[in-house]
Each structure stands twice: as C-alpha cells, then as structure tokens.
Amino acid sequence: MRTVSRTAVPALTTEQMRAVDHAMVEDLHIELVQMMENAGRSLAELAIIRFSPCSVTIHLANRGCQVQVVLTEPGHLTPVPAHQADILARMGVTIASRPATADLIIDALIGYSLRGDPAGAAAQLITWANGQAAPVLALDTPSGLDLTTGTAATPAVWAAATLTLALPKVGLLDAPNVGELYLADISVPALVYHRMGIPVPGFFRQSSLLRID
C-alpha cells in the first residue's frame, strides 16, 4: 500500500465535504448508494489487510468473517442505509440489539453530521467500543470527533485506525483518537475538486487505498 505525506494531501472542512457530496449527487447524478458501496469495499479491504479478523462487529460478511451489525435506531434509518440493512438481513447477517465481543470493531456510527456530544444508543456503543480489547477501525472519522476542529466530544471513539473517504478532513490530521490514518477513493471525479478550486494530485492511479503519514 502506498504511503503519502499528510502535507501533500489537501484536507477538507466539514462544509467543503458537504459541497463535494452535493456536487456528486445533484450535479453529476452519482448516487449516494454508489459512494457507500465504494466506501464499504475499501473498508473491507483495509480491515482484512490491516487486522486479519475472524469475527467482526459490522462488516465483512462476504470475506469469510463472522459478522454482526448493531444499529443505534433500526426503525429510523434513512433510505440508503435502510436499503443496505435490508440486503444484510436477506443475506442472513445478524443485526443485533447489543454488540458482542469480536476480533475487530468497525465504527460507522456518526459521520461529519455530528452536533454536540453523542447521546443515547450512540453514546452507549461508543463507550462499549472503547472498553473492548479488540481494536476499532473507524469509517471516515472516529464517532464523536469534530472533523473541522479536531475536538473530541464526550464520549468519542478512540480508534486504532481510521479510513477516511475522498480526501482527509482537517480535524483528522492532528486528533489523537484517529490512530493510523488511511484514505479511500470513492470515485469523486477531479472535476468536482477543480470547480471548488482545490488542486488534487492523482493519488489513486495505482491503488484505491493509501496510508497517510
């Protein structure tokens, strides 16, 4: 896996990442489900390469791992996550109300939409994850981290590694709870960044996964 310096990679604020997502969906008609599938594939690849788990809380059902998924509000999913949850249920993947111990925990509870401290089931799952012996691999950001300021809420996930998407977010670069930082290509066209005035080198020409050091 190629390693690139964090000084060589542009970093986005939360508002810029929202603008990227908006341009992808509204301007280019690239569906959110496509971006999620790309992110999930890269997450599975990194989990296998970096951690080699046999049991996982949330992902890797098609890679020979024993998987369980825990949702904070299973009855209040937006359409794209609900579609993915339906696929998992039809595949026979366990969707549990409480997490069980595993070799690897994948954190995908809260993305860049964080507002204040996590509460309710999300806070309980963050606290549970931090209390486990298994490492945590965070998707896009450790839950509870402000991606613009780098400030950790209470509670916030302390990850062994974080796979961020498209481009790193500013708050990830110096936050102590990010762990090893990786970057995944979710197929954002260079045109999107060009229109935003963000010069982005061709990092993903050889691989869709990079380590940022």
Side-chain angles (χ1 to χ4, degrees), residues 56-93:
V56 184
T57 297
I58 193 172
H59 207 103
L60 307 180
N62 281 348
R63 300 298 293 269
C65 295
Q66 180 182 347
V67 177
Q68 67 157 341
V69 175
V70 182
L71 303 173
T72 54
E73 297 184 31
H76 296 84
L77 297 175
T78 54
V80 173
H83 174 70
Q84 300 292 345
D86 178 64
I87 291 172
L88 289 175
R90 291 168 185 268
M91 288 171 58
V93 173

mmCIF file of all heavy atoms in Angstrom, residues 56-93:
data_model
loop_
_atom_site.group_PDB
_atom_site.id
_atom_site.type_symbol
_atom_site.label_atom_id
_atom_site.label_comp_id
_atom_site.label_asym_id
_atom_site.label_seq_id
_atom_site.Cartn_x
_atom_site.Cartn_y
_atom_site.Cartn_z
ATOM 1 N N VAL A 56 -16.164 -9.960 13.272
ATOM 2 C CA VAL A 56 -16.217 -8.504 13.127
ATOM 3 C C VAL A 56 -17.584 -8.009 13.556
ATOM 4 O O VAL A 56 -18.601 -8.602 13.204
ATOM 5 C CB VAL A 56 -15.976 -8.083 11.658
ATOM 6 C CG1 VAL A 56 -15.940 -6.564 11.530
ATOM 7 C CG2 VAL A 56 -14.700 -8.699 11.120
ATOM 8 N N THR A 57 -17.596 -6.918 14.305
ATOM 9 C CA THR A 57 -18.856 -6.255 14.583
ATOM 10 C C THR A 57 -19.079 -5.206 13.517
ATOM 11 O O THR A 57 -18.467 -4.156 13.538
ATOM 12 C CB THR A 57 -18.834 -5.610 15.987
ATOM 13 O OG1 THR A 57 -18.679 -6.632 16.956
ATOM 14 C CG2 THR A 57 -20.104 -4.844 16.273
ATOM 15 N N ILE A 58 -19.826 -5.521 12.500
ATOM 16 C CA ILE A 58 -20.489 -4.710 11.484
ATOM 17 C C ILE A 58 -20.259 -5.160 10.057
ATOM 18 O O ILE A 58 -21.138 -5.004 9.240
ATOM 19 C CB ILE A 58 -20.171 -3.199 11.590
ATOM 20 C CG1 ILE A 58 -21.158 -2.403 10.711
ATOM 21 C CG2 ILE A 58 -18.762 -2.890 11.096
ATOM 22 C CD1 ILE A 58 -21.065 -0.936 10.890
ATOM 23 N N HIS A 59 -19.118 -5.727 9.617
ATOM 24 C CA HIS A 59 -18.839 -5.772 8.179
ATOM 25 C C HIS A 59 -18.153 -7.087 7.796
ATOM 26 O O HIS A 59 -17.882 -7.927 8.632
ATOM 27 C CB HIS A 59 -17.927 -4.571 7.847
ATOM 28 C CG HIS A 59 -18.037 -4.090 6.457
ATOM 29 N ND1 HIS A 59 -18.732 -2.965 6.093
ATOM 30 C CD2 HIS A 59 -17.529 -4.579 5.313
ATOM 31 C CE1 HIS A 59 -18.635 -2.782 4.799
ATOM 32 N NE2 HIS A 59 -17.915 -3.738 4.305
ATOM 33 N N LEU A 60 -17.853 -7.267 6.560
ATOM 34 C CA LEU A 60 -17.008 -8.334 6.008
ATOM 35 C C LEU A 60 -17.695 -9.684 5.857
ATOM 36 O O LEU A 60 -17.053 -10.724 5.871
ATOM 37 C CB LEU A 60 -15.713 -8.506 6.837
ATOM 38 C CG LEU A 60 -14.882 -7.240 7.054
ATOM 39 C CD1 LEU A 60 -13.659 -7.563 7.872
ATOM 40 C CD2 LEU A 60 -14.478 -6.641 5.740
ATOM 41 N N ALA A 61 -19.001 -9.679 5.691
ATOM 42 C CA ALA A 61 -19.729 -10.940 5.578
ATOM 43 C C ALA A 61 -19.285 -11.758 4.378
ATOM 44 O O ALA A 61 -19.279 -12.987 4.428
ATOM 45 C CB ALA A 61 -21.234 -10.659 5.490
ATOM 46 N N ASN A 62 -18.918 -11.116 3.291
ATOM 47 C CA ASN A 62 -18.511 -11.838 2.089
ATOM 48 C C ASN A 62 -17.030 -12.177 2.053
ATOM 49 O O ASN A 62 -16.540 -12.682 1.051
ATOM 50 C CB ASN A 62 -18.867 -11.023 0.833
ATOM 51 C CG ASN A 62 -20.335 -11.138 0.486
ATOM 52 O OD1 ASN A 62 -21.034 -11.982 1.022
ATOM 53 N ND2 ASN A 62 -20.797 -10.288 -0.402
ATOM 54 N N ARG A 63 -16.322 -11.920 3.140
ATOM 55 C CA ARG A 63 -14.896 -12.225 3.183
ATOM 56 C C ARG A 63 -14.598 -13.338 4.181
ATOM 57 O O ARG A 63 -13.482 -13.487 4.649
ATOM 58 C CB ARG A 63 -14.102 -10.966 3.554
ATOM 59 C CG ARG A 63 -14.288 -9.812 2.576
ATOM 60 C CD ARG A 63 -13.811 -10.145 1.169
ATOM 61 N NE ARG A 63 -12.383 -10.318 1.108
ATOM 62 C CZ ARG A 63 -11.515 -9.345 0.839
ATOM 63 N NH1 ARG A 63 -11.947 -8.120 0.613
ATOM 64 N NH2 ARG A 63 -10.220 -9.595 0.767
ATOM 65 N N GLY A 64 -15.624 -14.123 4.522
ATOM 66 C CA GLY A 64 -15.419 -15.279 5.366
ATOM 67 C C GLY A 64 -15.345 -14.978 6.840
ATOM 68 O O GLY A 64 -14.863 -15.801 7.620
ATOM 69 N N CYS A 65 -15.819 -13.812 7.275
ATOM 70 C CA CYS A 65 -15.794 -13.453 8.692
ATOM 71 C C CYS A 65 -17.177 -13.625 9.317
ATOM 72 O O CYS A 65 -18.193 -13.478 8.648
ATOM 73 C CB CYS A 65 -15.353 -11.998 8.871
ATOM 74 S SG CYS A 65 -13.669 -11.675 8.350
ATOM 75 N N GLN A 66 -17.179 -13.938 10.588
ATOM 76 C CA GLN A 66 -18.433 -13.976 11.339
ATOM 77 C C GLN A 66 -18.793 -12.535 11.690
ATOM 78 O O GLN A 66 -18.041 -11.844 12.369
ATOM 79 C CB GLN A 66 -18.260 -14.801 12.610
ATOM 80 C CG GLN A 66 -19.515 -14.893 13.450
ATOM 81 C CD GLN A 66 -19.274 -15.685 14.723
ATOM 82 O OE1 GLN A 66 -18.259 -16.360 14.865
ATOM 83 N NE2 GLN A 66 -20.211 -15.594 15.648
ATOM 84 N N VAL A 67 -19.947 -12.075 11.217
ATOM 85 C CA VAL A 67 -20.277 -10.657 11.273
ATOM 86 C C VAL A 67 -21.562 -10.437 12.045
ATOM 87 O O VAL A 67 -22.511 -11.209 11.926
ATOM 88 C CB VAL A 67 -20.452 -10.090 9.849
ATOM 89 C CG1 VAL A 67 -20.863 -8.622 9.892
ATOM 90 C CG2 VAL A 67 -19.163 -10.254 9.057
ATOM 91 N N GLN A 68 -21.590 -9.351 12.835
ATOM 92 C CA GLN A 68 -22.847 -8.869 13.385
ATOM 93 C C GLN A 68 -22.894 -7.360 13.231
ATOM 94 O O GLN A 68 -21.875 -6.682 13.279
ATOM 95 C CB GLN A 68 -23.017 -9.247 14.857
ATOM 96 C CG GLN A 68 -22.033 -8.556 15.784
ATOM 97 C CD GLN A 68 -22.532 -8.488 17.211
ATOM 98 O OE1 GLN A 68 -23.727 -8.634 17.482
ATOM 99 N NE2 GLN A 68 -21.609 -8.261 18.123
ATOM 100 N N VAL A 69 -24.093 -6.844 12.975
ATOM 101 C CA VAL A 69 -24.304 -5.408 12.809
ATOM 102 C C VAL A 69 -25.169 -4.917 13.956
ATOM 103 O O VAL A 69 -26.162 -5.544 14.313
ATOM 104 C CB VAL A 69 -25.002 -5.113 11.460
ATOM 105 C CG1 VAL A 69 -25.338 -3.639 11.332
ATOM 106 C CG2 VAL A 69 -24.115 -5.563 10.304
ATOM 107 N N VAL A 70 -24.778 -3.778 14.538
ATOM 108 C CA VAL A 70 -25.562 -3.157 15.608
ATOM 109 C C VAL A 70 -25.963 -1.767 15.144
ATOM 110 O O VAL A 70 -25.105 -0.965 14.764
ATOM 111 C CB VAL A 70 -24.760 -3.074 16.924
ATOM 112 C CG1 VAL A 70 -25.625 -2.472 18.023
ATOM 113 C CG2 VAL A 70 -24.251 -4.449 17.332
ATOM 114 N N LEU A 71 -27.251 -1.469 15.157
ATOM 115 C CA LEU A 71 -27.771 -0.178 14.720
ATOM 116 C C LEU A 71 -28.265 0.611 15.922
ATOM 117 O O LEU A 71 -28.865 0.046 16.843
ATOM 118 C CB LEU A 71 -28.928 -0.379 13.730
ATOM 119 C CG LEU A 71 -28.603 -1.210 12.481
ATOM 120 C CD1 LEU A 71 -29.879 -1.458 11.682
ATOM 121 C CD2 LEU A 71 -27.559 -0.516 11.625
ATOM 122 N N THR A 72 -28.028 1.925 15.917
ATOM 123 C CA THR A 72 -28.495 2.741 17.038
ATOM 124 C C THR A 72 -30.007 2.917 17.008
ATOM 125 O O THR A 72 -30.664 2.853 18.036
ATOM 126 C CB THR A 72 -27.827 4.132 17.023
ATOM 127 O OG1 THR A 72 -28.027 4.742 15.741
ATOM 128 C CG2 THR A 72 -26.339 4.017 17.308
ATOM 129 N N GLU A 73 -30.575 3.152 15.808
ATOM 130 C CA GLU A 73 -32.017 3.350 15.674
ATOM 131 C C GLU A 73 -32.509 2.578 14.453
ATOM 132 O O GLU A 73 -32.769 3.164 13.392
ATOM 133 C CB GLU A 73 -32.349 4.838 15.536
ATOM 134 C CG GLU A 73 -31.971 5.666 16.753
ATOM 135 C CD GLU A 73 -32.394 7.116 16.609
ATOM 136 O OE1 GLU A 73 -33.425 7.372 15.945
ATOM 137 O OE2 GLU A 73 -31.709 7.973 17.154
ATOM 138 N N PRO A 74 -32.674 1.269 14.562
ATOM 139 C CA PRO A 74 -33.040 0.461 13.397
ATOM 140 C C PRO A 74 -34.363 0.857 12.760
ATOM 141 O O PRO A 74 -34.575 0.623 11.564
ATOM 142 C CB PRO A 74 -33.096 -0.960 13.962
ATOM 143 C CG PRO A 74 -33.158 -0.816 15.442
ATOM 144 C CD PRO A 74 -32.479 0.459 15.776
ATOM 145 N N GLY A 75 -35.249 1.472 13.512
ATOM 146 C CA GLY A 75 -36.538 1.873 12.957
ATOM 147 C C GLY A 75 -36.541 3.255 12.332
ATOM 148 O O GLY A 75 -37.570 3.711 11.831
ATOM 149 N N HIS A 76 -35.383 3.937 12.347
ATOM 150 C CA HIS A 76 -35.335 5.312 11.843
ATOM 151 C C HIS A 76 -34.182 5.505 10.864
ATOM 152 O O HIS A 76 -33.487 6.521 10.883
ATOM 153 C CB HIS A 76 -35.197 6.301 13.002
ATOM 154 C CG HIS A 76 -36.375 6.316 13.927
ATOM 155 N ND1 HIS A 76 -36.517 5.420 14.969
ATOM 156 C CD2 HIS A 76 -37.480 7.105 13.946
ATOM 157 C CE1 HIS A 76 -37.658 5.662 15.600
ATOM 158 N NE2 HIS A 76 -38.255 6.667 15.005
ATOM 159 N N LEU A 77 -33.969 4.534 9.995
ATOM 160 C CA LEU A 77 -32.903 4.640 9.007
ATOM 161 C C LEU A 77 -33.371 5.451 7.805
ATOM 162 O O LEU A 77 -34.513 5.335 7.379
ATOM 163 C CB LEU A 77 -32.468 3.243 8.541
ATOM 164 C CG LEU A 77 -31.854 2.319 9.594
ATOM 165 C CD1 LEU A 77 -31.597 0.948 8.983
ATOM 166 C CD2 LEU A 77 -30.570 2.904 10.153
ATOM 167 N N THR A 78 -32.461 6.252 7.246
ATOM 168 C CA THR A 78 -32.759 6.949 6.005
ATOM 169 C C THR A 78 -32.728 5.931 4.859
ATOM 170 O O THR A 78 -32.259 4.801 5.036
ATOM 171 C CB THR A 78 -31.753 8.083 5.758
ATOM 172 O OG1 THR A 78 -30.425 7.552 5.816
ATOM 173 C CG2 THR A 78 -31.910 9.175 6.814
ATOM 174 N N PRO A 79 -33.230 6.285 3.678
ATOM 175 C CA PRO A 79 -33.435 5.277 2.628
ATOM 176 C C PRO A 79 -32.206 4.454 2.243
ATOM 177 O O PRO A 79 -32.320 3.237 2.079
ATOM 178 C CB PRO A 79 -33.947 6.113 1.448
ATOM 179 C CG PRO A 79 -34.651 7.254 2.083
ATOM 180 C CD PRO A 79 -33.847 7.583 3.304
ATOM 181 N N VAL A 80 -31.044 5.082 2.084
ATOM 182 C CA VAL A 80 -29.880 4.312 1.635
ATOM 183 C C VAL A 80 -29.404 3.323 2.705
ATOM 184 O O VAL A 80 -29.233 2.129 2.415
ATOM 185 C CB VAL A 80 -28.740 5.242 1.178
ATOM 186 C CG1 VAL A 80 -27.478 4.435 0.885
ATOM 187 C CG2 VAL A 80 -29.161 6.007 -0.069
ATOM 188 N N PRO A 81 -29.203 3.737 3.965
ATOM 189 C CA PRO A 81 -28.859 2.736 4.986
ATOM 190 C C PRO A 81 -29.933 1.666 5.168
ATOM 191 O O PRO A 81 -29.627 0.498 5.421
ATOM 192 C CB PRO A 81 -28.689 3.571 6.258
ATOM 193 C CG PRO A 81 -28.341 4.932 5.773
ATOM 194 C CD PRO A 81 -29.116 5.100 4.499
ATOM 195 N N ALA A 82 -31.206 2.057 5.036
ATOM 196 C CA ALA A 82 -32.282 1.070 5.157
ATOM 197 C C ALA A 82 -32.186 0.027 4.052
ATOM 198 O O ALA A 82 -32.419 -1.176 4.288
ATOM 199 C CB ALA A 82 -33.640 1.775 5.107
ATOM 200 N N HIS A 83 -31.841 0.455 2.847
ATOM 201 C CA HIS A 83 -31.655 -0.475 1.737
ATOM 202 C C HIS A 83 -30.520 -1.449 2.031
ATOM 203 O O HIS A 83 -30.661 -2.663 1.813
ATOM 204 C CB HIS A 83 -31.376 0.323 0.465
ATOM 205 C CG HIS A 83 -31.029 -0.511 -0.727
ATOM 206 N ND1 HIS A 83 -31.954 -1.305 -1.370
ATOM 207 C CD2 HIS A 83 -29.859 -0.695 -1.388
ATOM 208 C CE1 HIS A 83 -31.372 -1.944 -2.380
ATOM 209 N NE2 HIS A 83 -30.099 -1.586 -2.411
ATOM 210 N N GLN A 84 -29.411 -0.932 2.546
ATOM 211 C CA GLN A 84 -28.273 -1.793 2.872
ATOM 212 C C GLN A 84 -28.606 -2.755 4.006
ATOM 213 O O GLN A 84 -28.213 -3.931 3.983
ATOM 214 C CB GLN A 84 -27.059 -0.931 3.258
ATOM 215 C CG GLN A 84 -26.578 0.014 2.162
ATOM 216 C CD GLN A 84 -25.974 -0.717 0.976
ATOM 217 O OE1 GLN A 84 -25.663 -1.891 1.058
ATOM 218 N NE2 GLN A 84 -25.815 -0.010 -0.132
ATOM 219 N N ALA A 85 -29.345 -2.274 5.003
ATOM 220 C CA ALA A 85 -29.743 -3.142 6.115
ATOM 221 C C ALA A 85 -30.652 -4.266 5.633
ATOM 222 O O ALA A 85 -30.567 -5.406 6.107
ATOM 223 C CB ALA A 85 -30.436 -2.321 7.203
ATOM 224 N N ASP A 86 -31.523 -3.952 4.672
ATOM 225 C CA ASP A 86 -32.399 -4.974 4.105
ATOM 226 C C ASP A 86 -31.584 -6.043 3.372
ATOM 227 O O ASP A 86 -31.873 -7.242 3.484
ATOM 228 C CB ASP A 86 -33.391 -4.319 3.142
ATOM 229 C CG ASP A 86 -34.309 -5.340 2.475
ATOM 230 O OD1 ASP A 86 -35.099 -5.992 3.193
ATOM 231 O OD2 ASP A 86 -34.218 -5.493 1.243
ATOM 232 N N ILE A 87 -30.558 -5.615 2.651
ATOM 233 C CA ILE A 87 -29.686 -6.583 1.970
ATOM 234 C C ILE A 87 -29.019 -7.504 2.979
ATOM 235 O O ILE A 87 -28.986 -8.729 2.808
ATOM 236 C CB ILE A 87 -28.627 -5.847 1.129
ATOM 237 C CG1 ILE A 87 -29.283 -5.140 -0.054
ATOM 238 C CG2 ILE A 87 -27.554 -6.825 0.632
ATOM 239 C CD1 ILE A 87 -28.340 -4.235 -0.824
ATOM 240 N N LEU A 88 -28.495 -6.917 4.064
ATOM 241 C CA LEU A 88 -27.823 -7.718 5.089
ATOM 242 C C LEU A 88 -28.788 -8.729 5.703
ATOM 243 O O LEU A 88 -28.427 -9.897 5.935
ATOM 244 C CB LEU A 88 -27.245 -6.815 6.174
ATOM 245 C CG LEU A 88 -26.041 -5.969 5.776
ATOM 246 C CD1 LEU A 88 -25.662 -5.027 6.919
ATOM 247 C CD2 LEU A 88 -24.852 -6.848 5.410
ATOM 248 N N ALA A 89 -30.004 -8.275 5.993
ATOM 249 C CA ALA A 89 -30.990 -9.182 6.580
ATOM 250 C C ALA A 89 -31.300 -10.342 5.637
ATOM 251 O O ALA A 89 -31.406 -11.496 6.061
ATOM 252 C CB ALA A 89 -32.267 -8.410 6.922
ATOM 253 N N ARG A 90 -31.411 -10.062 4.332
ATOM 254 C CA ARG A 90 -31.689 -11.110 3.359
ATOM 255 C C ARG A 90 -30.496 -12.061 3.197
ATOM 256 O O ARG A 90 -30.675 -13.219 2.805
ATOM 257 C CB ARG A 90 -32.053 -10.479 2.008
ATOM 258 C CG ARG A 90 -33.391 -9.763 2.027
ATOM 259 C CD ARG A 90 -33.591 -8.910 0.771
ATOM 260 N NE ARG A 90 -34.813 -8.136 0.849
ATOM 261 C CZ ARG A 90 -35.989 -8.529 0.383
ATOM 262 N NH1 ARG A 90 -36.103 -9.720 -0.203
ATOM 263 N NH2 ARG A 90 -37.055 -7.765 0.494
ATOM 264 N N MET A 91 -29.286 -11.568 3.490
ATOM 265 C CA MET A 91 -28.091 -12.408 3.439
ATOM 266 C C MET A 91 -27.936 -13.274 4.687
ATOM 267 O O MET A 91 -27.083 -14.151 4.741
ATOM 268 C CB MET A 91 -26.842 -11.528 3.300
ATOM 269 C CG MET A 91 -26.677 -10.872 1.940
ATOM 270 S SD MET A 91 -25.330 -9.638 1.949
ATOM 271 C CE MET A 91 -23.945 -10.661 2.468
ATOM 272 N N GLY A 92 -28.753 -12.990 5.705
ATOM 273 C CA GLY A 92 -28.647 -13.751 6.943
ATOM 274 C C GLY A 92 -27.619 -13.207 7.911
ATOM 275 O O GLY A 92 -27.253 -13.885 8.885
ATOM 276 N N VAL A 93 -27.129 -11.977 7.663
ATOM 277 C CA VAL A 93 -26.191 -11.349 8.601
ATOM 278 C C VAL A 93 -26.952 -10.938 9.858
ATOM 279 O O VAL A 93 -28.055 -10.382 9.775
ATOM 280 C CB VAL A 93 -25.516 -10.125 7.950
ATOM 281 C CG1 VAL A 93 -24.664 -9.366 8.963
ATOM 282 C CG2 VAL A 93 -24.668 -10.563 6.767
#
